[in-house]
Amino acid sequence: MKKFFVLIILCSVFVIFTGVGPIMAQTKAPYKIGGIFPLTGYLSWLGEYKKKGSELKVELINKAGGINGRQLELVVYDDQSSPETGSRVAQRLVSKDGVIAMIGTASVPISGAVASIGNRYKIPTIIGSGYEVDPKKDHFVFNSAHKTDFAVERPFEYFKGKGITKVALLMPIGPLGELGGGLARKYAPKYGITIVGEERFDVKAPDITAQLAKLRTLGPQAVFSFCTGEPAALVARSMAQLGMNIPVLVSHGNANPGFLKLVSNVNIPILVPAGRAAAPESIPDNDPCKRVILDFNKAHQQKFGEPANYYSAEMVDAVDIIAAALKVVPTADGEKLQDAIEKTKGLVGMNGIYNFSTTDHHGTVLQDMMVLTVKDGKWQVLLK
Amino acid sequence: MTDFSHIVQFFFSGLTSGSMYALIAVSLVIVYKVSLLICFAQGEFFVIGALAMVTLVSKGLPMPLAFVLSILISTVLGALVQRMLIKPIQNAGIGNLIVMTIAISLTLRGAALLVWGKESHILKPFSSGAPIPVLGATLQPQVLWIISITIVVLIMIWIFFEKTKLGIAMRACAENRLGASLMGISTDKAALLAWAWGSGIGALAGMAVAPLLFMQYGSGVMPMVKGFIAVSIGGLSSIVGSVVAGLLLGTVEAYTIGLISSKFSDTIVFSLLMVVLIFKPSGLFGKG
Amino acid sequence: MKLLKQFWWILPLAFIAFYPVTLAGGSPYWSGLLIFVGIYVILTVGLDLLMGYTGQISVGHAAYFAIGAYASGILTAKYGFSPLGAMVIGMVLTGIVAWALGRPVLALKEYYLAMATLAFNEIVVTLIIGLEWLTGGASGLRDIPSFSIFGLVLSNHVHYYYFVWAIVIIVIACSLAVVRSPFGRTLVAIHSDEVAARAFGVDTAKYKTRIFVLASVFASMAGSLFTHYMGFLAPDDFGVLTSINILVMLFLGGIGTIFGPILGAFFMKLLPELTYQIHDYELLLSGLILIIVLVFMPKGLFGIFTAIWEKMFAKADK
Amino acid sequence: MTDKRDAILSVKNVTKTFEGIRALEDVSFDVKSGHIKALIGPNGAGKTTLLNAINGIMSPDSGHIHFLGHDVVGHSADRVAGLGLSRTFQLIRMFTINNATVLDNVLLGAHMQLKPTLFESIFSRGKVNKAERKACDRAMELLRFVGLEKAADAAPGSLPFGNQRLVELARSLMTNPKMLLLDEPASGLNDTEVESFTELLRSIREKGITILLVEHNMKLVMNIADDIVVLDFGKKLAEGTPQAICANPQVIEAYLGTTQTECRLEP
């Protein structure tokens, strides 16, 4: 009897917390695109941005009459911030839902898992992450996010202009940290920068002052910590608390309003590389991207009460790239679609102007990245 | 290349994490002593306490009131969990109990996700103020709060288990079930109380470090693992041992990061732990 | 009815044999899903030998999964080994690691044992992350070829499905052979009462180590199969959370039976298929399901299964 | 009295301390091959501790224990068992996990003969099965010997305590021991059962198996023991034939006082 009582309570807990899932119904035969986002797990906070952005873009395209008279449909799955689940849902999209292309996901390992499926099943896949696409092996994979190289090169260019030559690295343990560390060492000589020291930290650790204190002895003029979100804010805040009043460079993943909130009371210069979408007001009027960004932001503001950000922009552009290719080659054939995407030239997106080729699956160029800093809770452009 | 001020800074860093590990470890030990069960959901009380306080503060409640209310919420939650979920299967094997606490942890984390969403929440420090320079290193005021909360909690535990009739009876319960019932406390009631204490202290730990961390529904996993390490080193049933082990763990971590390798600090810490377990199977401070 | 009682095992076997062509309808997705299920069956059955039969708690089974997976991944992707050769090397390597760890670690009891196994899992994961030059670090290891045996490439999902399930069946057969032999009886004795078992001449440390090695070698095998199917490896999939997941499958399915873990793996891998629309609730749901199983059906899903089975035959026998 | 050649077990100056309390203090005695030696004494006298020390469950702090010429101090229990020493437990220790039956329990006694390995269990089923069938026959034989062949498939927990002790006895015999340590095997048996149990012990002795018997039932002890050693507070109080022990005033004071009526030899 007691056990029965427990059962009732457990069931009611679930009922209370669960709403009724939305049931989607489609009448036409649309072009199906798969979307894979980290909606739960440690990357979930950015997965939402990506999902919202891409869903809105699909909605806008459909409102404008679709493509070749057909609608687009975005089938979204959660990769749970795990490569295995990413691979599984990609598989599901490809073979069960029969999508003609995939977009999405966030971290390098999940991208790798999804890309592997895209290649195997010859489904064009547009990743939005730091994953570096090697067109020779990743024939079907593209990346609408700026190359991670840009997020290091551009700030280094800025450092050079400011006479900063000594940079210390404080990298999170994980894919981002590995990538950032490698790129920093790669580009430092080019911009006359010396890496004075390198430390690692666990993003879940409550305290990173030990690493910072160690780096401080090396006399750096700036700290480069290639991390995103809370850890980035933690680095900045800890530096401020230790009285290290030197610039801290964090990853381009931070160019979103959430990060502004996290560092609202930190008083050291925080440098964030970012695409145009992060600070549209600073773009000159003659820039073709400005229109695209402002138009989309308006719709985004209307629907979600906030403008799009750098994360959503990647996915919006990913949808756009597929849509553009579909207009050229109205096909469900993966090889043909891949070919069309690879031939895309001069596509004006929110992140820049995409020019793909058989040797470049990233499409954007170094100048598409800017360097921002946080000033009075707002973005300010340091390097355009 | 490291001078004295860094050694001090590493020490503060270790003290901060160490106090947090120690509090979690104590909450685990209290439950273990009475019900011979390590609760793998302790990390969730840590998170729920902190997030409840964030919410209450943002609703405009004064800090102290929010503090007390959050502890109360976790305590009641812990007691409810014990009554509803642990008690019905308390005679099952240890494997079942471990998996049950894992199930509770999944459920609470799932509920926290729905209540507080996926984003991180920040709690403002208990007192404003600039970092304090000490011997060339810097100390954040919140760290002083964490340390004093740890001390106060330990004193409270000491008073409760050594000086109050109820506490003494509970302790007796841990050692001898029959003896305890003679002292007027049933093992049932003792377990319930232990859970209440445990979840309350877990929540307290979460609230104390929340201003240093960014709290999110999944933030409880790491503290739980670290607390578990501390009790394994300190001995499952030794409160003093677990406090010392928690502080030791934090300090060793900080010095490993600072002096040896931040890349392999976790590898080193876990390897040390295995060595300790193999050569001292019931912890450094455990008996028998 | 009697026929059913004797030859019931033909039913699941037939299901597995015809699944890709019937239910899955040739869809790579559904075959793929069962490939994952198969891999987790191997892991869970291995853990069951260790936990369900021998009573040794492990919260770090993913460590051996990882060693097998990375041995296969690294040897094939970087050094051009044949997948089969790499798999065998992985199994040997894992076996040696487990053998070396076995005696000191399995001398621990209960929570200390849980902690030590968890710690080893963390050590393996942090080493994978730390040794970037070898493992590809946290960013993952790319370009792992499909499985091939003697020149026959199993890139087709249906072929690979049969390959994986053939191994699953071998693993199950081996496990059944072990538990239904004097060896299994010895394990149960160790589980029940280690001291008493020793008094009857059982070198408990030796037997615990042996079964630990077997379970780890199984896990390593599962890792190799996983690697070649994913074509990509990242440490994220081998953390303590994966170990806990395997533990949950074991308890959900029914610990201490060979068929329970199969049900558990099926259930846990198929559950997300039902909750795609409500992914935010999945965590809560899986927690609640597990609680319900633990409180109401301590023998897990297999317990219900056998209860129904017995009722069926009890009626039939009348 | 101490004939070296004849002693299968010899305990010399064994001392064991638990948290400051002397459980055993300088205990020495021999057990002659083929004898039944009874070990008696009040509760807490250290009898079970001594058995645990002999079969290697725990090591004494000092002293020597020789079994068949081997010094077994520091040997683990399984090595001692391998020498041919088996035992039963005061608090019954049955294997019950995974629905183990009475027969399974007895079969575990065959562990040292079967010495199962993983390789054979998997790859050499024929050989394993053959050995197992043989062991099964022997186990059934032993169950018949203790009168429990009907309970072979029962769960051990479902049997009355007395019968569980008999299962333990069968399990120990299954190891083909040279010597048995029996820890209060007759507790929980009624008078008629005790009588048949006495017969059982006699026929075990006839098989040439030496027995060290810890028992409170003085009637049983006096009936069957060749030799008795008395422990009190961890010290050896007396040793000798049943008659001598019965007549020993120290023993009567310390232990036999209330049960003296039973301390009588059968005619």
Side-chain angles (χ1 to χ4, degrees):
Chain A
M1 200 56 215
K2 203 163 194 177
K3 284 185 172 183
F4 183 68
F5 181 65
V6 174
L7 182 66
I8 289 180
I9 292 187
L10 289 175
C11 289
S12 48
V13 166
F14 188 71
V15 172
I16 290 165
F17 282 112
T18 321
V20 182
I23 300 154
M24 312 262 275
Q26 285 287 339
T27 45
K28 275 183 191 170
Y31 288 118
K32 269 192 185 174
I33 299 175
I36 301 171
F37 309 111
L39 301 174
T40 52
Y42 73 102
L43 293 167
S44 53
W45 57 279
L46 63 88
E48 285 295 337
Y49 291 132
K50 295 192 176 222
K51 178 170 170 264
K52 279 183 193 164
S54 45
E55 278 178 346
L56 178 58
K57 182 68 186 176
V58 167
E59 195 184 312
L60 292 176
I61 290 176
N62 287 340
K63 259 191 208 152
I67 296 159
N68 312 326
R70 287 169 75 176
Q71 299 271 293
L72 275 185
E73 184 190 333
L74 187 69
V75 187
V76 172
Y77 289 128
D78 174 19
D79 61 35
Q80 302 174 324
S81 309
S82 134
E84 189 201 312
T85 314
S87 169
R88 234 175 44 218
V89 294
Q91 190 113 164
R92 185 183 167 105
L93 284 170
V94 171
S95 39
K96 182 157 176 281
D97 298 307
V99 297
I100 57 165
M102 292 189 285
I103 62 168
T105 204
S107 81
V108 177
I110 308 173
S111 305
V114 170
S116 166
I117 298 292
N119 283 323
R120 188 185 305 165
Y121 292 98
K122 304 192 187 331
I123 297 292
T125 302
I126 303 182
I127 296 289
S129 78
Y131 182 82
E132 181 155 358
V133 183
D134 174 359
K136 272 188 245 118
K137 289 173 180 162
D138 293 326
H139 190 61
F140 289 89
V141 182
F142 298 85
N143 197 337
S144 62
H146 290 131
K147 246 189 176 157
T148 317
D149 299 45
F150 304 165
V152 178
E153 265 200 278
R154 284 291 273 179
F156 277 17
E157 199 181 322
Y158 170 77
F159 283 161
K160 194 181 178 189
K162 289 280 166 193
I164 293 173
T165 56
K166 293 203 287 186
V167 175
L169 308 185
L170 177 58
M171 292 299 169
I173 295 169
L176 217 53
E178 280 170 15
L179 201 63
L183 291 171
R185 281 186 295 273
K186 181 174 165 192
Y187 288 110
K190 188 173 167 189
Y191 295 93
I193 287 169
T194 324
I195 307 288
V196 292
E198 176 166 359
E199 288 299 322
R200 298 284 185 106
F201 72 101
D202 181 352
V203 293
K204 286 173 239 147
D207 192 283
I208 54 167
T209 45
Q211 288 96 321
L212 281 169
K214 198 173 164 192
L215 289 175
R216 188 167 54 177
T217 53
L218 307 169
Q221 292 164 297
V223 171
F224 178 24
S225 182
F226 205 65
C227 51
T228 304
E230 294 86 358
L234 186 66
V235 170
R237 209 167 57 180
S238 304
M239 282 174 64
Q241 277 157 349
L242 283 178
M244 290 173 78
N245 199 7
I246 51 176
V248 55
L249 168 62
V250 294
S251 90
H252 51 319
N254 294 307
N256 64 67
F259 184 69
L260 285 178
K261 263 185 254 161
L262 292 180
V263 295
S264 54
N265 49 5
V266 178
N267 292 320
I268 61 166
I270 301 168
L271 308 188
V272 182
R276 295 173 179 80
E281 54 294 340
S282 66
I283 311 171
D285 287 339
N286 59 2
D287 189 326
C289 296
K290 186 162 189 171
R291 238 260 59 83
V292 179
I293 295 169
L294 290 180
D295 282 354
F296 189 79
N297 273 358
K298 210 169 115 192
H300 201 281
Q301 180 83 42
Q302 231 165 39
K303 182 149 186 192
F304 301 113
E306 59 180 3
N309 60 44
Y310 192 41
Y311 288 121
S312 17
E314 288 164 3
M315 286 298 109
V316 172
D317 286 355
V319 173
D320 223 7
I321 292 164
I322 293 169
L326 278 174
K327 270 182 205 154
V328 180
V329 197
T331 175
D333 181 276
E335 306 245 14
K336 283 182 194 152
L337 193 58
Q338 188 277 342
D339 194 52
I341 295 175
E342 211 166 54
K343 286 189 178 130
T344 303
K345 297 275 185 276
L347 177 78
V348 180
M350 294 175 76
N351 261 346
I353 298 165
Y354 291 89
N355 291 300
F356 292 112
S357 72
T358 48
T359 51
D360 181 10
H361 279 197
H362 284 259
T364 46
V365 293
L366 186 57
Q367 273 62 40
D368 286 327
M369 186 77 95
M370 312 185 295
V371 180
L372 309 178
T373 191
V374 183
K375 192 96 190 191
D376 304 324
K378 277 192 186 135
W379 295 114
Q380 190 186 39
V381 180
L382 291 178
L383 182 70
K384 243 177 247 174
Chain B
M1 251 327 275
T2 39
D3 55 36
F4 182 67
S5 69
H6 294 101
I7 302 294
V8 177
Q9 191 66 58
F10 301 152
F11 180 71
F12 289 158
S13 175
L15 205 59
T16 313
S17 337
S19 305
M20 172 177 132
Y21 302 159
L23 278 178
I24 305 254
V26 166
S27 71
L28 288 171
V29 168
I30 289 182
V31 173
Y32 181 82
K33 267 175 97 83
V34 177
S35 46
L36 297 180
L37 170 70
I38 290 283
C39 172
F40 283 79
Q42 208 58 253
E44 269 46 65
F45 295 114
F46 174 90
V47 167
I48 288 172
L51 290 182
M53 183 155 171
V54 169
T55 305
L56 292 175
V57 170
S58 72
K59 289 267 181 301
L61 259 70
M63 217 66 165
L65 185 62
F67 187 83
V68 173
L69 270 179
S70 309
I71 294 179
L72 218 62
I73 289 170
S74 295
T75 309
V76 170
L77 191 62
L80 270 178
V81 164
Q82 198 277 338
R83 254 307 109 96
M84 280 183 50
L85 302 176
I86 298 295
K87 213 181 138 203
I89 66 155
Q90 62 190 0
N91 297 323
I94 178 175
N96 286 57
L97 285 167
I98 289 181
V99 175
M100 180 52 121
T101 61
I102 289 172
I104 292 167
S105 141
L106 291 177
T107 310
L108 291 179
R109 207 180 312 155
L113 163 69
L114 297 175
V115 174
W116 284 287
K118 295 165 190 169
E119 61 275 15
S120 297
H121 302 265
I122 321 170
L123 186 64
K124 62 174 199 251
F126 292 2
S127 58
S128 52
I132 308 150
V134 183
L135 297 170
T138 8
L139 186 62
Q140 300 172 33
Q142 185 64 26
V143 173
L144 293 178
W145 275 106
I146 296 175
I147 294 167
S148 22
I149 285 176
T150 310
I151 294 170
V152 169
V153 166
L154 291 179
I155 292 173
M156 275 167 61
I157 290 173
W158 183 78
I159 292 174
F160 181 76
F161 284 101
E162 299 287 335
K163 300 286 168 203
T164 69
K165 212 178 146 195
L166 192 61
I168 293 168
M170 260 174 83
R171 230 183 49 203
C173 191
E175 279 140 27
N176 178 348
R177 310 243 140 174
L178 183 71
S181 64
L182 293 177
M183 292 187 72
I185 183 167
S186 68
T187 46
D188 254 14
K189 199 175 154 200
L192 186 71
L193 268 174
W195 271 76
W197 264 97
S199 46
I201 294 171
L204 203 59
M207 284 144 52
V209 298
L212 294 180
L213 277 174
F214 296 88
M215 281 287 178
Q216 180 226 21
Y217 74 97
S219 303
V221 179
M222 189 276 299
M224 171 59 217
V225 171
K226 293 291 165 72
F228 188 27
I229 295 177
V231 292
S232 306
I233 295 174
L236 287 179
S237 51
S238 162
I239 288 181
V240 178
S242 63
V243 171
V244 175
L247 291 169
L248 198 68
L249 177 64
T251 320
V252 168
E253 263 185 5
Y255 282 106
T256 315
I257 289 167
L259 302 176
I260 305 172
S261 157
S262 48
K263 193 170 168 184
F264 289 106
S265 67
D266 267 355
T267 317
I268 294 169
V269 166
F270 281 108
S271 305
L272 282 178
L273 169 69
M274 281 190 77
V275 170
V276 168
L277 284 175
I278 287 168
F279 289 101
K280 201 80 176 55
S282 47
L284 286 178
F285 307 92
K287 275 186 276 182
Chain C
M1 223 45 186
K2 248 189 186 154
L3 229 56
L4 182 65
K5 199 167 180 180
Q6 212 166 8
F7 296 105
W8 63 270
W9 47 269
I10 289 180
L11 289 175
L13 224 55
F15 171 78
I16 289 162
F18 296 112
Y19 171 83
V21 281
T22 54
L23 280 168
S27 152
Y29 177 67
W30 290 108
S31 321
L33 196 63
L34 246 69
I35 289 174
F36 279 113
V37 171
I39 289 167
Y40 275 88
V41 167
I42 299 176
L43 286 168
T44 316
V45 167
L47 183 65
D48 194 22
L49 290 177
L50 190 63
M51 266 187 88
Y53 287 90
T54 324
Q56 308 302 306
I57 293 163
S58 169
V59 199
H61 209 54
Y64 316 100
F65 186 39
I67 297 174
Y70 270 90
S72 269
I74 291 167
L75 291 175
T76 53
K78 288 197 164 171
Y79 300 101
F81 276 62
S82 82
L84 196 63
M87 182 166 165
V88 172
I89 294 174
M91 284 159 69
V92 171
L93 185 72
T94 314
I96 293 172
V97 170
W99 179 78
L101 275 177
R103 243 172 216 269
V105 167
L106 294 172
L108 298 167
K109 300 267 173 302
E110 301 188 337
Y111 291 106
Y112 294 107
L113 179 59
M115 183 73 251
T117 50
L118 190 152
F120 185 67
N121 198 157
E122 286 287 347
I123 290 172
V124 169
V125 170
T126 51
L127 281 179
I128 291 173
I129 294 172
L131 303 173
E132 281 169 56
W133 55 273
L134 183 67
T135 61
S139 315
L141 187 65
R142 296 193 202 179
D143 308 320
I144 299 163
S146 290
F147 205 93
S148 56
I149 319 174
F150 310 121
L152 182 73
V153 183
L154 299 174
S155 58
N156 180 307
H157 57 273
V158 178
H159 295 168
Y160 200 60
Y161 167 90
Y162 282 118
F163 178 65
V164 168
W165 275 91
I167 291 187
V168 172
I169 288 167
I170 292 172
V171 164
I172 292 172
C174 286
S175 306
L176 281 174
V178 169
V179 302
R180 291 183 180 170
S181 73
F183 198 99
R185 188 166 55 231
T186 307
L187 299 181
V188 168
I190 294 172
H191 189 177
S192 297
D193 189 333
E194 223 179 301
V195 173
R198 228 177 278 145
F200 291 98
V202 180
D203 184 344
T204 51
K206 193 195 251 170
Y207 278 83
K208 284 194 282 188
T209 307
R210 283 178 179 175
I211 202 68
F212 183 52
V213 169
L214 184 70
S216 308
V217 169
F218 282 169
S220 167
M221 222 150 73
S224 300
L225 295 175
F226 180 82
T227 304
H228 292 290
Y229 190 62
M230 290 278 288
F232 177 88
L233 281 181
D236 311 32
D237 288 331
F238 302 99
V240 174
L241 288 182
T242 305
S243 294
I244 287 181
N245 230 333
I246 303 170
L247 207 62
V248 168
M249 286 177 193
L250 179 58
F251 275 83
L252 207 64
I255 189 167
T257 61
I258 293 295
F259 297 102
I262 304 174
L263 293 179
F266 260 94
F267 189 87
M268 284 297 285
K269 284 287 151 187
L270 295 181
L271 179 68
E273 298 302 308
L274 308 172
T275 54
Y276 274 127
Q277 290 299 323
I278 49 163
H279 47 76
D280 279 5
Y281 301 92
E282 199 193 317
L283 204 56
L284 181 69
L285 188 64
S286 56
L288 288 175
I289 290 175
L290 194 54
I291 290 177
I292 290 171
V293 167
L294 287 168
V295 174
F296 298 99
M297 7 173 155
K299 287 179 184 161
L301 298 174
F302 189 68
I304 308 174
F305 205 69
T306 42
I308 295 172
W309 188 258
E310 268 159 23
K311 230 176 214 170
M312 218 162 81
F313 285 111
K315 258 184 205 159
D317 289 347
K318 270 177 206 167
Chain D
M1 158 104 209
T2 45
D3 183 351
K4 271 281 172 207
R5 279 168 305 165
D6 248 345
I8 185 170
L9 177 80
S10 111
V11 175
K12 256 186 265 165
N13 313 105
V14 167
T15 299
K16 176 78 188 177
T17 309
F18 286 120
E19 293 178 10
I21 298 161
R22 282 267 161 108
L24 292 173
E25 198 173 341
D26 205 20
V27 177
S28 305
F29 64 89
D30 284 356
V31 182
K32 282 187 190 169
S33 186
H35 269 194
I36 293 180
K37 181 144 196 162
L39 178 60
I40 62 171
N43 284 328
K47 302 181 299 278
T48 298
T49 309
L50 186 59
L51 291 195
N52 286 347
I54 294 171
N55 95 314
I57 286 178
M58 45 139 258
S59 294
D61 299 336
S62 64
H64 296 278
I65 300 170
H66 286 273
F67 176 66
L68 284 171
H70 303 267
D71 189 348
V72 295
V73 168
H75 278 33
S76 59
D78 51 287
R79 281 182 68 189
V80 179
L83 295 171
L85 185 81
S86 196
R87 70 171 291 178
T88 66
F89 297 93
Q90 182 190 4
L91 301 167
I92 296 161
R93 299 181 99 148
M94 286 288 174
F95 305 119
T96 52
I97 302 283
N98 281 34
N99 308 321
T101 61
V102 165
L103 183 63
D104 288 332
N105 270 276
V106 178
L107 276 170
L108 188 86
H111 173 83
M112 285 182 291
Q113 294 128 52
L114 297 171
K115 284 259 182 255
T117 65
L118 270 181
F119 185 84
E120 280 182 358
S121 311
I122 296 171
F123 297 107
S124 176
R125 294 296 293 176
K127 193 179 152 201
V128 170
N129 286 341
K130 206 175 143 199
E132 172 83 348
R133 261 195 304 278
K134 236 172 98 189
C136 247
D137 291 344
R138 167 116 176 92
M140 285 310 291
E141 199 181 295
L142 284 171
L143 278 174
R144 213 166 298 130
F145 176 65
V146 300
L148 284 171
E149 73 271 27
K150 287 211 182 80
D153 292 326
S158 67
L159 301 181
F161 282 117
N163 286 356
Q164 292 191 36
R165 290 186 191 285
L166 291 175
V167 176
E168 279 211 337
L169 182 64
R171 183 172 64 178
S172 314
L173 288 170
M174 192 73 193
T175 63
N176 290 333
K178 300 197 173 66
M179 180 171 180
L180 274 180
L181 310 179
L182 303 180
D183 202 346
E184 301 193 16
S187 72
L189 299 186
N190 61 32
D191 281 354
T192 43
E193 283 169 339
V194 168
E195 255 161 52
S196 53
F197 185 71
T198 314
E199 285 313 307
L200 218 52
L201 288 187
R202 283 214 175 94
S203 51
I204 291 171
R205 179 168 56 187
E206 272 156 30
K207 287 177 183 169
I209 298 169
T210 315
I211 295 174
L212 179 60
L213 173 71
V214 170
E215 187 49 66
H216 279 298
N217 186 325
M218 288 317 293
K219 200 169 155 197
L220 172 63
V221 169
M222 291 301 158
N223 262 334
I224 196 158
D226 299 305
D227 237 342
I228 295 178
V229 60
V230 187
L231 283 187
D232 188 29
F233 290 109
K235 280 186 221 160
K236 184 166 94 173
L237 199 63
E239 188 178 3
T241 58
Q243 292 92 328
I245 295 297
C246 267
N248 188 321
Q250 271 180 299
V251 177
I252 293 169
E253 188 190 344
Y255 180 55
L256 294 178
T258 51
T259 51
Q260 203 180 1
T261 43
E262 285 176 16
C263 185
R264 196 179 302 131
L265 287 180
E266 270 179 23

